């Protein structure tokens, strides 16, 4: 995916303005934060941390941590795009925003694509939540 994104950036004349990385977020995000890096857009698409109802508590901690760190890396007025796969999504994002001392302005909300329909009789079919937030530093 990263290679394809680089090719697309080059085809669209954007190679000098974008960068793509594939890394373990639990290693990369703290390092970028230590380096004082700031970005216009941060996209977080972590793997499913909650494989079962029993693992939701640990998943919540993981999602909160990467979103908190992602928010800290977004320049004031920049954007955070984030995906999550479980029902405590909004609480986790709100907690991360409070910890990062930022205000979030929701600009987009989506679920999975139509080829993965949501079945009202099967909660597990509503598995993907995607938000884009504008991140504003508290002043």
């Amino acid at each position: 995916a990263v290679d394809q994104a680089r090719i697309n950036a080059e085809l669209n004349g954007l190679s000098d303005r974008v960068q793509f990385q594939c890394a373990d977020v639990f290693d990369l995000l703290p390092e970028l934060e230590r380096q004082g890096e700031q970005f216009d857009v941060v996209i977080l698409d972590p793997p499913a941390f909650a494989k079962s109802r029993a693992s939701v508590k640990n998943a919540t901690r993981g999602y909160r941590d990467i979103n908190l760190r992602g928010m800290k890396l977004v320049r004031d007025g920049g954007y955070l795009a984030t995906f999550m796969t479980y029902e405590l999504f909004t609480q986790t994002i709100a907690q991360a925003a409070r910890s990062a001392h930022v205000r979030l302005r929701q600009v987009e909300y989506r679920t999975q694509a139509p080829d993965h329909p949501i079945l009202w009789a099967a909660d597990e079919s509503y598995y993907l939540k995607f938000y884009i937030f504008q991140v504003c530093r508290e002043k």
Side-chain angles (χ1 to χ4, degrees):
V2 169
D3 290 339
Q4 188 61 55
R6 284 189 184 117
I7 291 168
N8 288 339
E10 188 173 322
L11 290 171
N12 288 287
L14 299 171
S15 297
D16 61 330
R17 289 181 270 182
V18 297
Q19 58 182 323
F20 304 94
Q21 244 177 301
C22 182
D24 182 319
V25 295
F26 293 107
D27 295 332
L28 179 64
L29 296 180
E31 181 58 31
L32 292 173
E33 191 178 343
R34 272 192 295 278
Q35 293 171 5
E37 292 283 353
Q38 292 276 278
F39 301 94
D40 294 322
V41 178
V42 172
I43 301 170
L44 300 173
D45 187 10
F49 294 151
K51 303 285 188 196
S52 68
R53 295 227 183 259
S55 64
V56 168
K57 186 175 181 179
N58 287 336
T60 301
R61 196 172 313 122
Y63 286 125
R64 182 186 169 283
D65 185 52
I66 64 169
N67 279 283
L68 167 65
R69 292 183 181 283
M71 288 174 199
K72 288 182 175 184
L73 295 173
V74 176
R75 282 189 181 96
D76 188 26
Y79 295 89
L80 172 74
T82 185
F83 297 80
M84 280 198 216
T85 58
Y86 74 103
E87 59 277 349
L88 298 175
F89 183 81
T90 53
Q91 292 173 354
T92 302
I93 292 294
Q95 290 170 354
R98 281 191 297 276
S99 295
H101 305 289
V102 299
R103 287 178 294 122
L104 298 178
R105 186 174 75 90
Q106 180 182 320
V107 295
E108 186 70 40
Y109 170 75
R110 301 269 172 123
T111 61
Q112 64 259 25
D115 62 335
H116 293 261
I118 297 169
L119 306 173
W120 283 50
D123 289 342
E124 64 275 5
S125 70
Y126 183 43
Y127 65 91
L128 184 64
K129 285 107 176 139
F130 169 69
Y131 282 89
I132 298 177
F133 295 106
Q134 184 175 35
V135 178
C136 302
R137 301 272 170 247
E138 292 180 353
K139 296 176 181 163

